[in-house]
Amino acid sequence: MHNLYVPPHKILLFILLFGIGFGSATYLKEHESTVPIPKLEMPKTDFSFNFDFNLNFDFSKPEVDEEIQKPNKTWNEVSIQTNGTDRKYGNLVGIQLVLKPEDYVKEEWWKERIEETLIQGKKSGIFDRKTIVIFPEHLGSGLIFLNEKSKFLNSDSLSDALKTKGDNFTLNDLLLSKANMMADVYVRTFSSLAKDYNVPILGGTIVLPNPKIVKGNLVLDSTGPLYNVAIPFSADGKLMEPIVKKSILSEEEQKVYAAGDINQDRIWIVPGWKVAVFIGQEVFDSSIYSRLTGKAIDGLISPSAVFPNMKWSGKDLSDMNVWKQDGMSKYIKTTRAQDLVQVFLSGHLFENHWNGKTFNLRDFTFEDEVISVESPTILNLYF
């Protein structure tokens, strides 16, 4: 049997320490609400992930290239202004149209916009066998919009519209690809209108690849250069000579089409009358008038177009006074003509507002000009 001997001083030390520990615990228990106890903040592990990779997925439907609806007219009536009195010698009728790209999308829509003015002219009794009707420059060129849909037509500019067909697609590409269709619609429309209203018509101008009249038909040369041409139609709806090719071009025009021969024939002969045809800036070239000196002509006519800030040879062509002071009015007395008509296209075509004002001059002296470019106007001049 073992002897368990514990010295007395160790027993006393154990009792003392036990008592202190027990007393402290009791004290803290009783005063735990008043004695601050430091808190140890354990770090929390963050298992979250940032899934924002900024991929910007667009799940909206892609733009649909839609057929467009027939556009509404932006005007209420066709105005008629008359310079002179009917002495039964005939008259020059310049027709200023107001068009936008949508008007060209369907052949029938385009024809309707033109025919609305001819209907008004016939109602007013100004058409007879000695009437000559003149439409503005690029009236036919706008046929590039034939059969186009919303993507092309809703573009902010022509350059943006061309991009809808390809990054490197140019205006020349568009003109060449649609040339045959444009020519067919142009000839069919003006041939029909000239015959239906029994008046000779100069159908403004149209840009086509080297067009010629062969056996009464308009023939294009797909390998030839583009020209901006004025094409006349007889009162029985037939194509007439001469086809006049614009010969004086701006820098912008030179990027698209070639210049015609400045010495070309430009005298259009209709029953009872002979008129010389100028296109746009050709009216500023004195050498063209000198080639008409001594020739039997009764009038000067010019299909033209101008948009804001249009410049040529240092001239601000958006200033209508430039056309009046430096154009046909300045040179008419060097010819045997006595009257002139310059016809402008009006309307909104992409970023440009074509806003030239059609005007005429009778007997070198009496001038008339359209009042508004926001509605179509017939400007009638009696010889």
Side-chain angles (χ1 to χ4, degrees):
M1 185 173 183
H2 297 284
N3 293 323
L4 297 175
Y5 173 74
V6 179
H9 67 275
K10 290 185 178 182
I11 295 173
L12 291 174
L13 179 61
F14 172 78
I15 293 172
L16 177 62
L17 292 175
F18 179 82
I20 292 173
F22 180 79
S24 297
T26 302
Y27 177 82
L28 290 175
K29 181 67 176 176
E30 293 175 351
H31 298 82
E32 62 180 352
S33 60
T34 58
V35 178
I37 299 176
K39 295 182 178 179
L40 297 178
E41 295 288 343
M42 297 298 292
K44 296 181 179 180
T45 305
D46 184 4
F47 291 100
S48 63
F49 292 92
N50 182 5
F51 289 99
D52 183 10
F53 297 116
N54 198 29
L55 296 180
N56 293 325
F57 291 112
D58 183 3
F59 295 102
S60 60
K61 292 182 180 180
E63 181 184 355
V64 178
D65 201 13
E66 298 177 323
E67 297 280 351
I68 69 161
Q69 299 298 312
K70 182 180 179 180
N72 295 320
K73 293 188 294 188
T74 57
W75 39 269
N76 295 320
E77 62 180 2
V78 177
S79 302
I80 299 180
Q81 297 173 216
T82 295
N83 186 352
T85 57
D86 186 3
R87 297 177 290 180
K88 306 302 179 183
Y89 295 155
N91 55 334
L92 296 174
V93 177
I95 298 183
Q96 177 159 318
L97 298 169
V98 180
L99 297 171
K100 52 184 177 292
E102 291 82 357
D103 293 318
Y104 286 92
V105 172
K106 302 293 183 185
E107 178 179 348
E108 60 270 24
W109 298 352
W110 182 60
K111 182 180 180 181
E112 182 178 313
R113 285 290 176 267
I114 298 170
E115 189 167 17
E116 286 162 342
T117 61
L118 296 175
I119 291 172
Q120 188 64 23
K122 185 175 181 178
K123 281 183 179 178
S124 68
I126 63 173
F127 295 161
D128 65 21
R129 62 186 182 86
K130 291 184 178 180
T131 296
I132 300 173
V133 176
I134 308 103
F135 284 100
E137 183 179 11
H138 289 307
L139 174 58
S141 306
L143 290 169
I144 59 171
F145 300 114
L146 273 170
N147 299 332
E148 293 298 341
K149 297 181 181 180
S150 58
K151 281 186 180 180
F152 189 91
L153 295 167
N154 293 336
S155 299
D156 293 329
S157 65
L158 179 58
S159 60
D160 288 343
L162 292 171
K163 288 178 183 178
T164 66
K165 297 182 176 295
D167 290 339
N168 299 316
F169 199 82
T170 66
L171 179 56
N172 296 64
D173 294 329
L174 185 62
L175 287 164
L176 289 170
S177 66
K178 288 193 171 183
N180 287 316
M181 180 170 58
M182 290 169 62
D184 288 346
V185 170
Y186 179 85
V187 171
R188 189 161 50 242
T189 297
F190 283 114
S191 178
S192 171
L193 293 174
K195 187 175 182 179
D196 289 347
Y197 292 87
N198 195 32
V199 289
I201 292 177
L202 186 70
T205 74
I206 182 171
V207 177
L208 294 171
N210 199 23
K212 297 176 182 177
I213 298 175
V214 179
K215 297 181 179 180
N217 297 311
L218 190 66
V219 177
L220 307 183
D221 177 6
S222 60
T223 62
L226 290 166
Y227 290 102
N228 182 15
V229 298
I231 304 177
F233 295 80
S234 66
D236 58 1
K238 295 179 181 178
L239 289 163
M240 296 182 70
E241 297 281 7
I243 291 179
V244 179
K245 299 174 179 177
K246 188 174 185 179
S247 59
I248 307 295
L249 309 180
S250 68
E251 290 184 8
E252 290 300 312
E253 288 177 303
Q254 291 174 29
K255 297 175 184 177
V256 182
Y257 42 82
D261 183 357
I262 203 165
N263 296 313
Q264 68 189 301
D265 179 19
R266 60 179 70 243
I267 297 178
W268 178 26
I269 302 173
V270 295
W273 300 105
K274 296 179 181 179
V275 293
V277 179
F278 297 73
I279 303 175
Q281 303 95 282
E282 288 184 331
V283 301
F284 301 119
D285 193 315
S286 61
S287 67
I288 296 178
Y289 298 94
S290 66
R291 293 177 176 85
L292 298 174
T293 301
K295 294 185 177 180
I297 55 175
D298 304 292
L300 308 179
I301 63 176
S302 177
S304 302
V306 64
F307 51 85
N309 301 316
M310 184 176 175
K311 302 290 192 298
W312 176 80
S313 191
K315 300 180 187 293
D316 179 7
L317 300 186
S318 60
D319 181 356
M320 291 309 300
N321 290 321
V322 171
W323 296 92
K324 295 176 183 178
Q325 295 170 5
D326 298 337
M328 291 189 295
S329 301
K330 179 179 179 179
Y331 297 106
I332 188 171
K333 288 186 177 180
T334 66
T335 73
R336 295 174 62 180
Q338 295 185 36
D339 304 289
L340 65 87
V341 176
Q342 189 153 17
V343 186
F344 290 88
L345 180 64
S346 183
H348 295 267
L349 300 176
F350 287 122
E351 67 270 35
N352 291 322
H353 181 195
W354 298 52
N355 59 356
K357 284 190 171 185
T358 296
F359 66 92
N360 59 32
L361 184 69
R362 179 173 57 86
D363 296 333
F364 311 122
T365 306
F366 305 100
E367 180 186 302
D368 195 11
E369 179 183 78
V370 298
I371 296 172
S372 172
V373 297
E374 300 301 329
S375 59
T377 302
I378 297 173
L379 207 60
N380 176 37
L381 180 151
Y382 282 115
F383 281 117

